[in-house]
Amino acid sequence: MAFRFARGLTCASAAVLMAFGALSQASARDLVVALKTEPSSMDPQYHALTPNTQISQTLFESLVGVDNKLQPVPGLAESWTVDDKVWTFKLRPNVKFSDGSPFTAEDVVFTYDRVPKVPNSPSPFTLYLGAVAKTEAVDAHTLRITTKDVAPNLLINLAQLPILSKKAASGPAAEGKTTTELNSGDGLVGTGPYKFVSWKRGAELVFQRNEHYWGKQPAWEKVTYRPMTNAAARVAALLAGDVDMIEDPPTDDLPKLKGDKKLHVEETPSVRVVYVALDQHAEPSPGVQGTEKNPMKDKRVREALSLALNREAIVDRVMGGVAKPAGNLLPYPMFGASKEHAEAPKPDVEKARALLKEAGYPNGFSITLGSPSGRYVNDAKVAQAIASMWTRVGVKTSVDAMAPPVFFKNRDSYQFSAYLAGWSVTSGEMANALTSLLMTRNPEAGQGTTNRSRYSNPKMDELVKQASSTMDDTKRAALLQEASNIAMDDYAMLPVHFELSVWAMKNDVRYQGRPDQTTLVQYATPAK
């Protein structure tokens, strides 16, 4: 079933959000969470990356929220209406920031105006404002957004944009408070259920309950996040009682953890696709040896690399079954995913070798596959399996696995000819993945913001653009299906598998898993 939301002129009542956010009364103890990846910044507009956004969504709120099924619900806007290209949002009254100052429409205008001004953003938030032409504060609690064209995905995109305090985050720089200042806590003021206390890089991140929060107070007075990139260390900390909840326990440990009566394991399907991106721009390509050309520019080579992959074996042997082989960037039948690529391609070693020979590489070539180590479930192990499979067909592959912050820095500076990464389709529809990962790079327009392979296909671009201005769900789904078929038929990138999201926790803690894989502590509760 596709994740969709109603297209009516008015939104659901505020009671929807209140019901969703209702939590048990404050617990007597604090919560300690072991994170698999430390955020790269506290600036909520610096890097569109899950470790960052899950933290910012605890300190800040957006105009529109999303529930654990990725459905839009009222957030700081309690209602809205739309008339063609003009959206009018009625803001929730009596909301205060964590410093006690009132939230108004001017804070939203300031926030959206800041997005394109944040310098050196690895994955800019302009992705979510590409459809917006103008944002105006009509009065303190009324906001008007005019879009460039009809914008069917405006609500779900606005859900990705946390609102800052204009008063606290203003400054002499073009963007107001700089990323460096926000990282120190200066200007880091939101309306969310928690407020910032301290951040010691590599050690801990501490939040305190926000006494000014307009909604139901969260269960925990204080939350401490401890970054632990080593999965075995996270499990050891949980078993020792040093932490209350951990992200992504090792797949090999799941049977033991599930059998421990002192623990609870939560599993849920995710919309995160793990993929391999191939450089289709640089000449020569970094990391390629044995040829002066860039082999990945040849579709036959890209197809050969795909046919070399035994995705079922990766899921069974590397992921321990905690994944599903992928043939597209979003599981079928979610919105915009086509039936044509619902199943993962079957491996064909002989055809892969024949395609390489046909493309002029009878003896193959050598390549380096970049990978994070500790960002995605078993990421370095998956990369090693892919390297072995590519080597088998004649493309001698070595793996360069590194800490996630180093990996993303290198990826964003185009230092890889091929790399393993992941993308969480937070909107629940194909437009999100295609727009960010595969549209021709134009970050100012919110297109290709994470397209580090620099793939470009004007026909696919045009279909995605048409879909972005088509309100009719049936027509838009068909456009996105056609666009995704073009990309997959062109082997624009190679989907490997969809992750299954897993958390492990003490038996007196409960957290309902989310398909976007975020750990949002405001929804963790004491077990009943």
Side-chain angles (χ1 to χ4, degrees):
M1 180 183 70
F3 294 114
R4 305 301 306 129
F5 57 92
R7 299 292 180 193
L9 292 181
T10 60
C11 72
S13 69
V16 175
L17 181 63
M18 295 300 289
F20 168 64
L23 301 172
S24 61
Q25 292 299 316
S27 169
R29 70 180 182 87
D30 301 329
L31 187 73
V32 182
V33 180
L35 300 174
K36 65 178 181 181
T37 305
E38 185 173 25
S40 60
S41 175
M42 288 293 103
D43 184 340
Q45 297 177 341
Y46 175 68
H47 194 177
L49 187 72
T50 299
N52 292 28
T53 57
Q54 70 181 12
I55 295 297
S56 67
Q57 288 173 9
T58 303
L59 297 174
F60 301 90
E61 295 174 296
S62 305
L63 279 189
V64 182
V66 290
D67 63 17
N68 62 356
K69 299 298 182 184
L70 306 187
Q71 297 296 302
V73 293
L76 289 176
E78 62 178 1
S79 67
W80 51 82
T81 59
V82 56
D83 182 7
D84 192 31
K85 302 176 187 178
V86 179
W87 296 70
T88 302
F89 294 84
K90 291 297 181 182
L91 306 187
R92 196 176 295 280
N94 304 316
V95 173
K96 293 182 179 181
F97 285 99
S98 59
D99 63 357
S101 61
F103 159 71
T104 73
E106 290 290 348
D107 298 300
V108 184
V109 174
F110 167 81
T111 296
Y112 292 176
D113 182 64
R114 182 180 186 268
V115 168
K117 299 176 181 177
V118 177
N120 305 314
S121 174
S123 212
F125 283 76
T126 51
L127 167 67
Y128 304 116
L129 288 176
V132 175
K134 184 167 56 174
T135 304
E136 304 167 274
V138 178
D139 58 42
H141 294 98
T142 307
L143 182 80
R144 181 186 299 127
I145 294 179
T146 305
T147 57
K148 299 170 185 175
D149 206 332
V150 292
N153 291 323
L154 181 67
L155 294 179
I156 203 68
N157 283 335
L158 295 183
Q160 312 306 317
L161 291 163
I163 306 302
L164 291 84
S165 162
K166 178 180 179 180
K167 175 185 175 183
S170 292
E175 70 273 27
K177 286 290 194 297
T178 65
T179 297
T180 299
E181 289 174 313
L182 290 169
N183 285 342
S184 71
D186 184 10
L188 204 67
V189 174
T191 64
Y194 284 93
K195 60 184 179 181
F196 177 84
V197 175
S198 63
W199 183 25
K200 298 177 182 177
R201 285 186 184 268
E204 67 176 21
L205 175 61
V206 181
F207 290 172
Q208 192 82 18
R209 192 186 287 146
N210 175 12
E211 65 271 21
H212 295 294
Y213 184 51
W214 62 269
K216 194 79 170 180
Q217 284 288 320
W220 320 98
E221 174 66 28
K222 184 175 77 170
V223 174
T224 301
Y225 301 93
R226 293 180 184 166
M228 296 184 179
T229 57
N230 184 284
R234 292 197 298 274
V235 171
L238 179 64
L239 293 175
D242 295 334
V243 301
D244 300 301
M245 181 166 71
I246 66 173
E247 299 178 316
D248 285 341
T251 53
D252 292 344
D253 287 347
L254 288 180
K256 176 183 68 176
L257 297 176
K258 290 178 180 179
D260 191 328
K261 294 182 179 180
K262 296 182 293 184
L263 302 176
H264 173 74
V265 175
E266 181 75 20
E267 296 178 319
T268 189
S270 85
V271 289
R272 181 182 300 283
V273 62
V274 171
Y275 63 86
V276 172
L278 304 170
D279 172 29
Q280 294 162 63
H281 178 82
E283 195 73 75
S285 182
V288 172
Q289 296 179 340
T291 175
E292 294 181 357
K293 298 189 297 183
N294 180 348
M296 277 77 69
K297 287 186 175 182
D298 192 319
K299 176 185 172 182
R300 294 168 295 184
V301 172
R302 301 195 299 271
E303 182 178 1
L305 294 175
S306 179
L307 289 171
L309 299 182
N310 188 331
R311 294 164 171 85
E312 290 278 1
I314 290 173
V315 166
D316 292 341
R317 300 171 194 171
V318 182
M319 297 297 293
V322 188
K324 178 184 176 182
N328 210 331
L329 301 179
L330 194 65
Y332 178 81
M334 293 186 72
F335 196 86
S338 69
K339 191 173 184 179
E340 184 175 335
H341 293 280
E343 300 297 326
K346 299 299 182 184
D348 191 332
V349 171
E350 293 308 315
K351 185 176 180 181
R353 288 173 177 158
L355 283 168
L356 288 171
K357 183 177 180 180
E358 182 183 324
Y361 304 98
N363 300 316
F365 53 88
S366 297
I367 193 171
T368 299
L369 176 65
S371 172
S373 181
R375 172 64 191 94
Y376 311 106
V377 179
N378 295 340
D379 43 16
K381 292 181 180 179
V382 172
Q384 290 289 351
I386 291 172
S388 176
M389 292 170 183
W390 283 358
T391 299
R392 185 182 176 194
V393 300
V395 179
K396 187 177 180 180
T397 308
S398 60
V399 173
D400 187 6
M402 59 202 75
V406 179
F407 166 79
F408 286 112
K409 180 180 179 180
N410 290 343
R411 182 202 69 175
D412 296 339
S413 57
Y414 305 104
Q415 295 187 29
F416 300 125
S417 51
Y419 65 84
L420 178 86
W423 184 260
S424 184
V425 187
T426 52
S427 69
E429 75 167 61
M430 184 62 75
N432 176 282
L434 293 178
T435 301
S436 181
L437 298 176
L438 290 176
M439 285 189 78
T440 302
R441 273 188 65 77
N442 185 359
E444 292 75 19
Q447 299 165 3
T449 51
T450 314
N451 181 354
R452 302 302 178 182
S453 64
R454 288 177 283 189
Y455 173 77
S456 179
N457 188 316
K459 185 176 179 181
M460 189 211 75
D461 290 351
E462 183 57 33
L463 288 167
V464 178
K465 289 177 183 177
Q466 289 180 33
S468 70
S469 59
T470 301
M471 292 295 287
D472 183 283
D473 279 4
T474 302
K475 293 179 180 178
R476 192 168 80 263
L479 289 167
L480 292 173
Q481 287 166 0
E482 184 179 354
S484 68
N485 282 341
I486 288 174
M488 294 302 99
D489 290 343
D490 203 19
Y491 300 92
M493 60 172 39
L494 312 182
V496 180
H497 60 259
F498 298 107
E499 289 187 347
L500 184 69
S501 304
V502 185
W503 293 262
M505 61 207 77
K506 291 179 180 177
N507 206 31
D508 62 347
V509 177
R510 286 294 182 272
Y511 181 68
Q512 184 178 359
R514 297 172 58 90
D516 58 9
Q517 295 189 310
T518 53
T519 302
L520 301 179
V521 293
Q522 58 266 45
Y523 302 126
T525 63
K528 295 180 180 179

